[in-house]
Amino acid sequence: MPNLEHPAYPAADLLRLESLVPCRESQVSMLLSIFGERQQFSFPCIFIYGHTSSGKTYVMQTLLTTLQLPHVFVNCVECFTSRLLLEEILIQLQSCSSGTEQTSPVRCDTLNDFVRLFKQAVASQELQDQTLYIVLDRAEQLREMEANILPAFLRLQELTDRNVTVVLLSEIVWELFRPNMGCFEPFTMYFPDYSIGHLQKILSQNHPPEYSADFYAAYINILLGVFYMVCRDLKELRHLAALNFAKYCEPVVRGEANERDTRKLWKNIEPHLKKAMQTVYLREISSSQWERLQHVGGEAGQLKGLSAHTHVELPYYSKFLLIAAYLASYNPVRTDKRFFLKHHGKIRKTNFMKKHEKTSNHLLGPKPFPLDRLLAILYSIVDNRVAPTANIFSQVSVYLLFNLFLVSGIHQVLNVICKLINAKITSLVTLQLLSVVGQNDQLDGPRYKCTVSLDFIRAIARTVNFDIIKYLYDFL
C-alpha cells in the first residue's frame, strides 16, 4: 500500500513521487496536506530547515516537478542582492505563465515595482486557477538584504492578493531569522538527518547494473561502517561510494573471489578505506588522481592534512614570507647572523652550538618576532632565487615605482612598498597561518608568531625548492 495518498493528485504521480524521495515520505505527506488542492489557497509562507544534505532542496524540487505545480525556484546565494532576487523571480514567473523561456530582461528596482509586476505576471488564466509556489533556497541570505525584503516575502500573499505560497529553505532555525519588529510567523517544518538505515537504503539504489543489488548493498554497509561516525553528508557518502567501488570489486574482476566472499572483499578494501578517510570533505585530490593513486599503489599519507592543498593556494612570494616567519619563530635571534649573513666570519662552536645544553625550540613553541626581522630574513632567503626584475610583493612594476620616486620622492615609494608588504602579511594572518602578538598600536611596531606545524612548512618549502631544515637551529 502506498504511503502517499491525496485525492487531488493522480495515484500514478504519487507513486512515482514516493519512489523518487525515499525516507522522506512523512515530510512529503505533510507538505501535501499543507498544499491542499491546486485551486485552494495554501499557507502564505512555509519555513523548512535542517542540516546540510538532509533532502530539503531535492524534496521540494521533486515534489513540485513531479506533480507539475507552477513554481519558481531561486538560490539566494546566486541572487545575492534584492534586485537580482526580485528580477530572477519575475523572469521565471513570466516563463511559467507563457510556457516558453523568457529572454527579455526585467527591471525591478523597488519592492513596489515587484508587487506591480508580479500581479501582471500572474494575470494569465493558468496561474489564477491554482497556487503558485516561490521557493527560496539558502534563505538565510535574505538577512543580509534590505530590512523590508524578508517581511515582504512572509506577507507576499497579502501584499499581492494572489494565490501564492513562499517556501523558505535554510540550514538555520527560524529564531535566527525573526526580525526585531513584529512579522508574520511562517509554518515551520524540520527535516531531520538521515539515519544509517536511511543512508543504507538510499545509497543502495545506485547499484551498477552489472552487479546484483545484494552485492552493492553489502559494499554500502561496509562503507557506512567506516565513514558514518565521521561523515553523515549524503552527497559526500555518495561520492565516496562511487570513488571506491572499483577497488572493492577487484577480487571479483580478477576471479579471486565471488560476490559472496564478504571476508575476502573486506580484507581487500579495508586499508584502502583507511587511506580514503584522509580525504573526507577536503577534496585534496580529484577523483581521477585518486584512481591513478590506486593503480600505482601510492600512499594517501603523502597528503598530510591541510598541507597538501593549502600551499597550492598561496601565491609564490607569500610562501617565502611564511617560510621566513617560521624561521623567525623557531630560530634564536643570535643565530640569524650564522644562517642569513654571507660573510659572517668565524663562529666558535663552543659558543654557538651546544645541543646538550639547550632545549628544542620546537618543543617550547613559536616565539614572537618583529616585522623588521621578518623582512631581513625574507630578503636573505629570496636573494638569487628569482630574476632581478621580478617584483616580490605585488604586480607593481619597477617603472611605476621609479616614476613615483621622481614625482614624490623616496618616502612615498617606501610608503607604497610598506603597504604592499602589510597586505601580504595581513592575508597570512587572515588565513590563521600567522598570529598577531600584542596590540597593533604598540610603540615598537607589531609582533607576529608563526602558527603552522613543521610538516606544513616543509610541504610549503618543497614547492619552492627551499631546504628549510638547513636553516633551522634545532636540526644542526
Side-chain angles (χ1 to χ4, degrees):
M1 183 176 179
N3 295 322
L4 299 181
E5 295 181 355
H6 199 284
Y9 305 102
D13 291 345
L14 294 177
L15 191 62
R16 181 169 176 268
L17 176 62
E18 184 177 346
S19 65
L20 293 175
V21 288
C23 308
R24 282 290 180 254
E25 293 85 0
S26 60
Q27 286 77 18
V28 173
S29 180
M30 175 67 73
L31 288 172
L32 291 176
S33 301
I34 299 172
F35 289 174
E37 299 184 5
R38 294 175 181 269
Q39 295 80 13
Q40 295 176 341
F41 270 75
S42 181
F43 205 82
C45 185
I46 303 172
F47 181 81
I48 301 176
Y49 68 101
H51 291 155
T52 181
S53 193
S54 57
K56 304 179 299 295
T57 304
Y58 173 75
V59 167
M60 283 305 305
Q61 286 180 327
T62 306
L63 172 62
L64 296 174
T65 304
T66 304
L67 300 182
Q68 298 181 355
L69 300 175
H71 65 278
V72 171
F73 211 100
V74 181
N75 190 318
C76 295
V77 174
E78 299 174 357
C79 302
F80 50 90
T81 64
S82 59
R83 177 178 174 180
L84 290 174
L85 177 64
L86 299 178
E87 290 180 353
E88 179 63 23
I89 293 175
L90 292 174
I91 290 174
Q92 293 191 31
L93 188 57
Q94 293 182 6
S95 303
C96 183
S97 61
S98 62
T100 59
E101 289 292 333
Q102 178 71 22
T103 57
S104 60
V106 177
R107 185 172 183 83
C108 180
D109 295 322
T110 65
L111 193 59
N112 289 333
D113 294 338
F114 173 75
V115 173
R116 175 176 54 83
L117 295 172
F118 184 88
K119 291 181 178 180
Q120 296 176 3
V122 299
S124 64
Q125 188 67 25
E126 295 81 3
L127 297 182
Q128 283 183 344
D129 294 340
Q130 52 186 325
T131 306
L132 172 67
Y133 298 93
I134 298 179
V135 184
L136 302 180
D137 196 10
R138 302 294 299 274
E140 58 269 12
Q141 300 297 322
L142 296 177
R143 302 179 302 167
E144 308 297 329
M145 299 181 186
E146 288 81 352
N148 62 339
I149 294 297
L150 179 58
F153 279 115
L154 295 174
R155 294 183 176 272
L156 189 60
Q157 189 179 103
E158 178 183 343
L159 291 174
T160 60
D161 194 24
R162 296 292 187 271
N163 188 5
V164 56
T165 294
V166 177
V167 182
L168 304 177
L169 306 180
S170 178
E171 296 179 4
I172 63 178
V173 297
W174 168 247
E175 284 70 22
L176 299 178
F177 269 83
R178 185 181 289 113
N180 296 330
M181 302 175 62
C183 67
F184 180 82
E185 292 289 327
F187 179 86
T188 58
M189 187 174 177
Y190 175 61
F191 271 49
D193 290 340
Y194 289 109
S195 65
I196 188 170
H198 291 161
L199 294 173
Q200 171 81 28
K201 181 179 179 180
I202 296 172
L203 294 174
S204 298
Q205 292 182 339
N206 301 326
H207 71 88
E210 59 269 20
Y211 295 98
S212 64
D214 293 338
F215 176 70
Y216 193 76
Y219 163 68
I220 294 298
N221 189 37
I222 292 175
L223 186 81
L224 291 176
V226 175
F227 290 100
Y228 182 72
M229 295 303 295
V230 297
C231 174
R232 304 187 183 184
D233 190 318
L234 179 60
K235 297 177 183 177
E236 185 74 17
L237 289 172
R238 184 178 281 119
H239 171 75
L240 291 170
L243 201 60
N244 299 298
F245 183 64
K247 193 71 175 179
Y248 182 74
C249 299
E250 275 187 357
V252 179
V253 174
R254 293 195 299 258
E256 299 174 357
N258 56 46
E259 294 185 0
R260 296 184 178 274
D261 291 336
T262 309
R263 180 178 178 82
K264 187 174 292 186
L265 294 172
W266 161 249
K267 291 180 108 177
N268 180 69
I269 194 68
E270 179 186 11
H272 184 74
L273 292 181
K274 287 182 179 179
K275 290 188 294 183
M277 285 280 287
Q278 300 182 21
T279 64
V280 176
Y281 292 115
L282 296 181
R283 294 292 191 272
E284 292 178 324
I285 55 177
S286 65
S287 301
S288 58
Q289 290 173 325
W290 177 254
E291 291 174 357
R292 287 197 297 270
L293 192 64
Q294 296 178 21
H295 294 307
V296 300
E299 290 291 333
Q302 295 169 355
L303 303 173
K304 298 182 178 180
L306 296 177
S307 63
H309 68 275
T310 305
H311 71 266
V312 177
E313 300 173 1
L314 287 177
Y316 183 76
Y317 290 105
S318 292
K319 296 177 184 179
F320 277 107
L321 194 61
L322 186 61
I323 292 172
Y326 190 88
L327 295 174
S329 285
Y330 287 96
N331 281 347
V333 177
R334 61 186 176 85
T335 64
D336 289 351
K337 182 179 179 181
R338 164 66 176 81
F339 287 117
F340 308 116
L341 193 63
K342 292 182 180 179
H343 306 289
H344 52 74
K346 293 184 179 180
I347 298 179
R348 298 176 61 187
K349 281 188 175 181
T350 55
N351 295 331
F352 182 73
M353 289 187 299
K354 289 185 178 180
K355 286 197 171 185
H356 62 279
E357 296 181 358
K358 70 182 182 67
T359 305
S360 171
N361 293 285
H362 283 77
L363 293 179
L364 296 175
K367 301 293 190 299
F369 54 85
L371 180 61
D372 55 352
R373 185 183 176 211
L374 171 66
L375 297 181
I377 296 176
L378 175 65
Y379 279 117
S380 176
I381 64 177
V382 173
D383 188 25
N384 297 327
R385 290 181 175 271
V386 295
T389 57
N391 194 316
I392 292 180
F393 299 108
S394 73
Q395 302 301 320
V396 178
S397 66
V398 177
Y399 176 74
L400 292 177
L401 290 176
F402 179 70
N403 286 343
L404 185 61
F405 168 73
L406 294 178
V407 175
S408 304
I410 187 63
H411 295 289
Q412 189 68 19
V413 174
L414 293 176
N415 187 34
V416 171
I417 294 177
C418 289
K419 288 182 179 180
L420 296 173
I421 295 173
N422 289 330
K424 288 289 185 182
I425 296 177
T426 302
S427 65
L428 294 178
V429 173
T430 304
L431 293 172
Q432 298 182 356
L433 303 178
L434 299 181
S435 64
V436 182
V437 180
Q439 302 296 328
N440 293 330
D441 57 351
Q442 55 190 2
L443 296 179
D444 56 348
R447 297 175 68 85
Y448 301 93
K449 184 188 296 185
C450 188
T451 59
V452 302
S453 65
L454 178 61
D455 289 336
F456 187 102
I457 202 64
R458 290 182 68 182
I460 294 287
R462 280 196 297 267
T463 63
V464 292
N465 297 321
F466 182 82
D467 189 2
I468 192 173
I469 298 298
K470 292 172 56 178
Y471 291 85
L472 286 172
Y473 180 54
D474 285 346
F475 295 92
L476 286 177

